[in-house]
Amino acid sequence: MSRTRTGAGALAAIGTAVLLSGANASAAQAEQVLPADLPLPATQLQNTDAAQAVGGTTSGLGYAIAPVKELRLDPWAGSSADFLNNGVAVAPDNGMPPVATSAVTGPLSNGGGAKDLPVAGALLSTLPL
């Protein structure tokens, strides 16, 4: 069986040779252009400044948390469709004061956010901003 060469195969071989010789020439030229006074790249990681990292984290965290603290949790606050403005109170028979849900739902039905809730508001006040 005889093998025949086509013009397309020879053209591909010539194109590859031209591309590879151009890549070698540009790499050799890049080596010549670099100044000799540049420092070599460091092969070790630099030490982390913990105070700067914590400071950046806390300042960024404050701006990320502030909208969450102010976010209005009840979209129907102040409207006739607000179901949180209905309260339930229980008066125990043993003389204890009545217990009502309005202490929890009141701040929300007035349009408040998480910072206005009794327990969660005290916890959120410890966060920055």
Side-chain angles (χ1 to χ4, degrees), residues 43-123:
T43 58
Q44 297 176 354
L45 295 175
Q46 301 297 323
N47 292 335
T48 302
D49 186 9
Q52 201 171 29
V54 169
T57 302
T58 55
S59 66
L61 185 64
Y63 289 108
I65 290 177
V68 174
K69 290 169 37 174
E70 301 290 328
L71 183 66
R72 186 170 136 175
L73 296 177
D74 185 12
W76 296 294
S79 69
S80 61
D82 185 15
F83 57 90
L84 291 178
N85 63 1
N86 298 328
V88 176
V90 176
D93 288 338
N94 60 0
M96 294 182 70
V99 178
T101 60
S102 61
V104 175
T105 60
L108 296 179
S109 65
N110 291 334
K115 66 177 180 59
D116 298 321
L117 293 174
V119 176
L123 292 175

